[in-house]
């Protein structure tokens, strides 16, 4: 059984640029959630995708958007990067939305200069 | 609103028990979780408890839930240096959202 994988592991961008982060869900999982973890803080929920549809969203602006593909892998896109977007971005997958246990990937460390 | 709070630091001696505490505000929480995060790594699920349970034991880990006081604790028996990490309390609410605390950094002294 393959766990949750994310790419790239590290990324450096400059303010105003756009970035795409990728996540492959665990085998058999159809739900993917994205979280932003700023330094010294807990993860903050960005949004969740279930069977290619956005299933819920946290308090993040529209420049944070995403996709889920038929194989249930997912992308997180962030436009017009700001310095405060520097964080660890975590992807988690589960076998259904709602209360099912989520399994996290190792994260992508994004630095915005 | 939804909020999860934890103390920021805990220091114990190797071999002692560690108790990490958490309070939450949302009474409609269905599942409560404990995750472990080591430096530079993602989150590792340690254990979870359904909101209709009071206690769950899993090897060295004991979770206690006081739903009336909205208080959750994680006890690690015979704490080892390898247990040094950040521990996050989290709750699932609203069907899709998981709310995390800021994490408790556990230091284990040899």
């Amino acid at each position: 059984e393959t766990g949750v994988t994310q790419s790239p592991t590290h990324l450096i961008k400059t303010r105003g640029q756009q970035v795409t982060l990728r996540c492959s869900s665990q085998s058999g999982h159809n739900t993917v959630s994205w979280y932003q973890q700023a330094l010294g803080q807990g993860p903050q929920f960005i949004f969740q995708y279930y069977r290619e549809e956005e299933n819920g969203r946290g308090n993040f602006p529209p420049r944070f958007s995403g996709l889920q593909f038929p194989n249930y892998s997912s992308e997180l896109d962030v436009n017009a990067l700001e310095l405060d977007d520097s964080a660890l971005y975590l992807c988690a997958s589960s076998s259904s939305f709602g209360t099912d246990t989520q399994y996290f990937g190792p994260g992508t460390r994004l630095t915005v200069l | 609103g939804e909020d999860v709070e934890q103390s920021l630091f805990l220091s114990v001696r190797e071999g002692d028990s560690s108790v990490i505490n958490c309070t939450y505000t949302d009474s409609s929480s269905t599942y409560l979780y404990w995750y472990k995060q080591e430096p530079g790594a993602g989150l590792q699920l340690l254990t979870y408890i359904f909101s209709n349970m009071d206690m769950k034991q899993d090897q060295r880990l004991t979770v206690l839930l006081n739903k009336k006081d909205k208080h959750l604790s994680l006890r690690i028996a015979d704490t080892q240096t390898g247990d040094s990490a950040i521990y996050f309390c989290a709750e699932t609410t609203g069907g899709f959202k998981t709310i995390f605390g800021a994490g408790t950094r556990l230091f284990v002294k040899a």
Side-chain angles (χ1 to χ4, degrees):
Chain A
E1 186 181 83
T2 306
V4 180
T5 60
Q6 293 186 243
S7 63
T9 53
H10 296 85
L11 203 50
I12 300 175
K13 292 285 189 178
T14 55
R15 200 169 42 180
Q17 286 190 308
Q18 180 267 342
V19 69
T20 297
L21 310 181
R22 294 178 175 83
C23 170
S24 290
S25 57
Q26 187 165 308
S27 177
H29 287 184
N30 58 19
T31 303
V32 171
S33 302
W34 285 93
Y35 294 82
Q36 179 196 67
Q37 186 180 16
L39 202 60
Q41 297 182 25
Q44 299 290 314
F45 175 76
I46 302 175
F47 44 55
Q48 183 182 82
Y49 280 85
Y50 171 67
R51 292 186 175 179
E52 303 178 60
E53 297 284 332
E54 187 179 291
N55 187 49
R57 190 177 181 93
N59 295 326
F60 280 81
R63 59 190 185 83
F64 285 78
S65 63
L67 280 175
Q68 188 178 31
F69 299 99
N71 67 354
Y72 302 130
S73 65
S74 177
E75 285 183 356
L76 164 65
D77 301 297
V78 188
N79 292 318
L81 284 167
E82 300 177 0
L83 298 179
D84 284 350
D85 295 333
S86 294
L88 180 69
Y89 287 84
L90 296 164
C91 164
S93 75
S94 57
S95 60
S96 66
F97 68 86
T99 56
D100 198 60
T101 303
Q102 296 178 90
Y103 294 89
F104 282 80
T108 293
R109 173 75 61 187
L110 172 65
T111 303
V112 182
L113 303 175
Chain B
E2 305 147 335
D3 197 16
V4 176
E5 294 195 356
Q6 305 176 236
S7 53
L8 292 182
F9 299 99
L10 177 65
S11 180
V12 300
R13 290 184 184 275
E14 191 174 24
D16 287 350
S17 292
S18 308
V19 179
I20 302 172
N21 294 299
C22 167
T23 58
Y24 60 97
T25 56
D26 194 334
S27 57
S28 64
S29 297
T30 49
Y31 282 46
L32 294 123
Y33 303 89
W34 286 103
Y35 286 89
K36 177 183 180 182
Q37 187 175 40
E38 297 183 83
L43 298 176
Q44 174 194 353
L45 176 66
L46 287 178
T47 187
Y48 63 92
I49 189 168
F50 299 121
S51 59
N52 62 359
M53 295 170 65
D54 298 322
M55 186 183 88
K56 181 178 180 181
Q57 187 149 6
D58 185 359
Q59 299 182 335
R60 291 192 297 126
L61 306 178
T62 302
V63 178
L64 294 178
L65 174 60
N66 182 329
K67 199 170 180 182
K68 174 177 169 290
D69 294 338
K70 299 192 185 72
H71 182 266
L72 183 74
S73 68
L74 173 68
R75 179 177 178 269
I76 305 173
D78 187 24
T79 313
Q80 302 297 307
T81 54
D83 294 324
S84 293
I86 302 175
Y87 290 81
F88 290 96
C89 170
E91 60 170 350
T92 296
T93 183
F96 57 82
K97 186 191 269 193
T98 300
I99 308 295
F100 286 83
T104 298
R105 187 177 293 274
L106 175 64
F107 297 94
V108 182
K109 297 176 284 189

